[in-house]
């Protein structure tokens, strides 16, 4: 067993960085060093550096929560090296990734802002999850009145949030006459660049309207679509990296072998030539973004809640269940795909077939619980817009109404077997209360305006939702799925 660090690289029994890491220079500050970033953006950069390019775009990690200190400590103990294991159904391949060179002290606003002010930093990127953007579901826009944002507005010199730190870093650059960095969101949010732009500009406006106007006029916020299934790391993955590959890695990342990144080419201060390693640069990412969010992420929700209610643990096990797989196929074919706009050079049905293949990959070990996580933030982005589009065209929403009822039933807190479901959403208490009330009064669920907005008031959703929810409580998930599939 070989402990992963720089000194041991020549003894590591899997491929390691084929470039001189001492020659790397930080060019990207990245907020949120979770598994997805480390299996996606960092992997692309590692591939590019292997070609001898992008050496001045190494990653400097940043985390705004005290809890991020653990990740920093683990990665620092390995000289910011970690292993990515890419898994197809047939094989697994491991590689050590070396594109990261530093991680700033967690929640140290002064240190993070100082690094953002460094002219060498040309990109600030983010993977802070869908719930990290302070979006008010009622309006669909950034909420500057959120207490954390309001606190940064009142004390901009000592920011605590990502957006407060970005504003402070941009202010320092403006005041020093240094061109601004590009802000690049890598989260699964429709128009993630536009969303990030609004958050940064409006955070600045709370304390310095002139700075807000300068940011709006001078800072680039490209939209991007990112995709790779990347489950959480547990003791299972740490054991596998030791036993299967002979590497002692405290923070490995396991991911599927599929990877995709479509990005608008808007980087005024320059960018790494990522097109050389498979990133697609386009003028407008919207078609790819909507395809992925609705077919893949929406599909995840369709798999998640019936599987969770039937005590299925892994995603591939859900896909092996004939009822769950048939439910997914039917909802995708009849309700989701028909309202996804065309994507240049892409067959949507073929794209879905690949999605289904990926979800069925038994090597990934992705869990149903992860897919069920944070529905209060994910449903308004991945499911409810499709419902709204169908209603606007006067099309039925039976399958999506059932998906909504399954989510409601899941949030009631027990599976069909009576097993307790541990809290699995930042708003779990609110959701559980609404779900239990909805058993007798379905409007208690659809009436959550911060999630459903006006769509929840439409009787064309309310009627099938109430019918399916009653059936789920009376007959259980399996019988309800059979009834739906019989048409």
């Amino acid at each position: 067993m070989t402990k992963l660090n720089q000194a041991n690289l020549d003894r590591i029994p899997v491929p390691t960085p084929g470039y001189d890491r001492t020659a790397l220079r930080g060019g990207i500050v990245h907020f949120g060093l979770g598994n997805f970033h480390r299996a996606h953006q960092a992997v692309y950069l590692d591939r590019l550096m292997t070609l001898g390019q992008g050496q001045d775009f190494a990653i400097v990690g940043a985390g705004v929560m005290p809890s991020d200190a653990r990740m920093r400590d683990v990665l620092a103990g390995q000289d910011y090296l970690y292993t990515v294991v890419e898994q197809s159904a047939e094989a697994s391949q491991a590689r050590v990734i070396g594109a990261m060179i530093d991680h700033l002290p967690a929640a140290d606003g002064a240190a993070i802002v100082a690094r953002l002010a460094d002219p060498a930093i040309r990109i600030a990127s983010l993977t802070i999850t869908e719930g990290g953007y302070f979006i008010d579901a009622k309006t669909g826009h950034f909420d500057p009145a959120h207490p954390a944002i309001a606190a940064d507005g009142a004390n901009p010199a000592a920011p605590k949030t990502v957006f407060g730190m970005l504003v402070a870093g941009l202010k320092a650059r403006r005041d020093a006459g240094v061109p601004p960095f590009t802000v690049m969101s890598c989260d699964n949010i429709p128009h993630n660049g536009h969303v990030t732009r609004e958050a940064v500009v409006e955070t600045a406006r709370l304390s310095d309207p002139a700075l807000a106007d300068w940011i709006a006029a001078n800072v680039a916020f490209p939209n991007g679509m990112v995709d790779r299934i990347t489950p959480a790391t547990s003791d299972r993955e740490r054991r596998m990296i030791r036993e299967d590959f002979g590497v002692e890695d405290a923070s490995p990342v396991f991911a599927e072998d599929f990877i995709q990144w479509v990005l608008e080419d808007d980087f005024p201060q320059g960018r790494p030539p990522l097109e050389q390693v498979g990133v697609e640069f386009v003028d407008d990412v919207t078609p790819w973004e909507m395809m992925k969010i609705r077919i893949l992420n929406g599909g995840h929700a369709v798999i998640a809640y019936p599987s969770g209610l039937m005590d299925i643990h892994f995603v591939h096990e859900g896909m092996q269940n004939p009822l769950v797989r048939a439910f997914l196929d039917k909802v995708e074919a009849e309700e989701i795909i028909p309202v996804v706009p065309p994507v240049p050079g892409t067959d949507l049905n073929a794209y879905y077939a690949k999605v289904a293949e990926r979800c069925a990959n038994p090597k990934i070990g992705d869990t149903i619980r992860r897919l069920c996580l944070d529905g209060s933030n994910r449903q308004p982005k991945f499911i409810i817009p499709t419902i709204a589009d169908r209603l606007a065209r006067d099309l039925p929403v039976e399958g999506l109404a059932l998906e909504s009822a399954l989510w409601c039933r899941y949030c009631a807190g027990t599976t069909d077997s009576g097993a307790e479901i541990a809290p699995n959403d930042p708003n779990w208490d609110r959701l559980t209360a609404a779900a239990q009330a909805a058993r007798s009064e379905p409007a208690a669920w659809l009436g959550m305006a911060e999630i459903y907005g006006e769509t929840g008031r439409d009787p064309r959703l309310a009627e099938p939702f109430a019918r399916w929810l009653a059936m789920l409580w009376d007959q259980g998930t399996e019988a309800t799925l059979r009834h739906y599939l019989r048409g």
Side-chain angles (χ1 to χ4, degrees):
M1 202 70 57
T2 305
K3 180 174 175 57
L4 180 58
N5 57 40
Q6 185 68 34
N8 289 341
L9 273 186
D10 60 348
R11 298 169 47 220
I12 296 292
V14 302
T16 57
Y19 48 88
D20 179 7
R21 294 185 72 230
T22 65
L24 301 182
R25 297 292 180 265
I28 300 173
V29 169
H30 183 82
F31 290 89
L33 270 292
N35 279 11
F36 179 78
H37 162 74
R38 295 192 295 134
H40 189 266
Q41 180 184 342
V43 166
Y44 278 111
L45 286 165
D46 182 81
R47 292 176 181 177
L48 186 65
M49 291 167 180
T50 299
L51 299 179
Q53 302 200 45
Q55 309 283 318
D56 54 345
F57 282 97
I59 297 164
V60 176
V64 302
M65 303 297 291
S67 57
D68 292 322
R70 183 181 180 279
M71 177 63 77
R72 177 181 187 263
D73 292 344
V74 168
L75 291 174
Q78 301 181 169
D79 299 314
Y80 307 106
L81 297 163
Y82 60 91
T83 316
V84 169
V85 181
E86 298 183 349
Q87 298 180 297
S88 68
E90 294 77 31
S92 298
Q93 295 183 325
R95 175 177 176 80
V96 174
I97 304 301
M100 181 181 177
I101 61 169
D102 194 8
H103 193 306
L104 300 167
D108 186 336
I112 294 171
V113 170
R115 196 59 174 262
L116 289 170
D118 182 350
I121 299 300
R122 284 173 279 172
I123 298 171
S125 54
L126 301 82
T127 46
I128 56 175
T129 77
E130 298 89 349
Y133 287 80
F134 300 96
I135 296 171
D136 183 339
K138 292 181 181 179
T139 65
H141 291 282
F142 177 71
D143 178 13
H146 188 284
I149 296 298
D152 277 2
N155 192 12
K160 303 294 186 184
T161 70
V162 170
F163 303 115
M165 292 177 190
L166 289 172
V167 168
L170 288 166
K171 181 180 187 300
R173 291 172 81 108
R174 184 202 62 176
D175 293 350
V178 175
F181 48 75
T182 292
V183 182
M184 179 179 69
S185 171
C186 299
D187 280 300
N188 286 317
I189 295 176
H191 309 300
N192 54 12
H194 298 330
V195 170
T196 308
R197 180 182 188 274
E198 182 179 19
V200 174
V201 169
E202 293 309 311
T203 298
R205 199 171 301 284
L206 293 174
S207 59
D208 190 338
L211 175 62
D213 292 341
W214 180 85
I215 292 172
N218 292 280
V219 180
F221 295 86
N223 294 302
M225 183 272 266
V226 297
D227 193 5
R228 188 170 219 185
I229 297 173
T230 310
T233 296
S234 67
D235 288 340
R236 169 183 179 268
E237 285 73 31
R238 283 183 281 270
R239 183 182 68 252
M240 289 171 66
I241 202 73
R242 292 194 303 269
E243 296 177 355
D244 297 348
F245 299 99
V247 180
E248 185 71 34
D249 184 346
S251 190
V253 182
F254 283 63
E256 63 174 333
D257 57 341
F258 179 92
I259 188 169
Q260 187 176 22
W261 194 1
V262 184
L263 188 58
E264 293 173 357
D265 198 355
D266 187 9
F267 294 83
Q269 306 313 316
R271 61 167 176 80
L274 291 164
E275 65 273 14
Q276 297 188 22
V277 288
V279 177
E280 301 172 73
F281 285 95
V282 300
D283 292 332
D284 180 8
V285 80
T286 302
W288 287 268
E289 180 183 76
M290 187 173 291
M291 173 184 73
K292 188 260 180 174
I293 284 174
R294 295 198 178 186
I295 296 177
L296 174 66
N297 297 115
H300 277 170
V302 175
I303 298 167
Y305 297 109
S307 297
L309 288 168
M310 293 191 290
D311 299 297
I312 296 172
H313 182 71
F314 288 113
V315 177
H316 70 269
E317 293 173 337
M319 292 294 285
Q320 291 168 355
N321 181 290
L323 292 175
V324 174
R325 176 57 189 267
F327 179 46
L328 175 66
D329 287 344
K330 184 177 174 68
V331 174
E332 291 274 12
E334 295 183 0
E335 298 190 19
I336 296 177
I337 294 173
V339 292
V340 174
V343 179
T346 303
D347 180 317
L348 294 180
N349 290 308
Y351 177 82
Y352 167 63
K354 183 64 177 178
V355 165
E357 175 189 321
R358 294 163 60 196
C359 292
N361 184 345
K363 288 284 190 70
I364 298 302
D366 201 5
T367 65
I368 291 298
R369 180 170 174 81
R370 186 187 78 86
L371 297 196
C372 291
L373 173 70
D374 202 14
S376 63
N377 280 302
R378 293 179 174 183
Q379 291 277 314
K381 301 173 181 68
F382 302 156
I383 291 291
I384 296 168
T386 300
I387 295 174
D389 278 0
R390 292 188 64 81
L391 294 176
R393 303 182 194 190
D394 201 24
L395 296 172
V397 293
E398 285 288 335
L400 292 169
L402 174 52
E403 187 279 337
S404 295
L406 286 159
W407 177 43
C408 174
R409 172 65 186 84
Y410 176 89
C411 291
T414 58
T415 69
D416 285 352
S417 70
E420 182 179 352
I421 298 172
N424 201 20
D425 192 288
N427 300 302
W428 186 254
D429 291 344
R430 162 88 165 99
L431 295 176
T432 298
Q436 292 173 351
R439 185 170 185 176
S440 58
E441 182 50 60
W445 185 261
L446 295 181
M448 292 189 293
E450 70 276 18
I451 293 173
Y452 283 94
E454 290 299 316
T455 303
R457 303 176 185 274
D458 195 308
R460 294 170 296 173
L461 171 63
E463 187 279 324
F465 171 84
R467 175 167 29 87
W468 290 125
L469 184 61
M471 187 176 293
L472 286 168
W473 280 111
D474 293 344
Q475 300 181 34
T477 302
E478 182 175 333
T480 302
L481 290 179
R482 291 187 187 281
H483 188 88
Y484 168 76
L485 293 169
R486 286 196 299 266

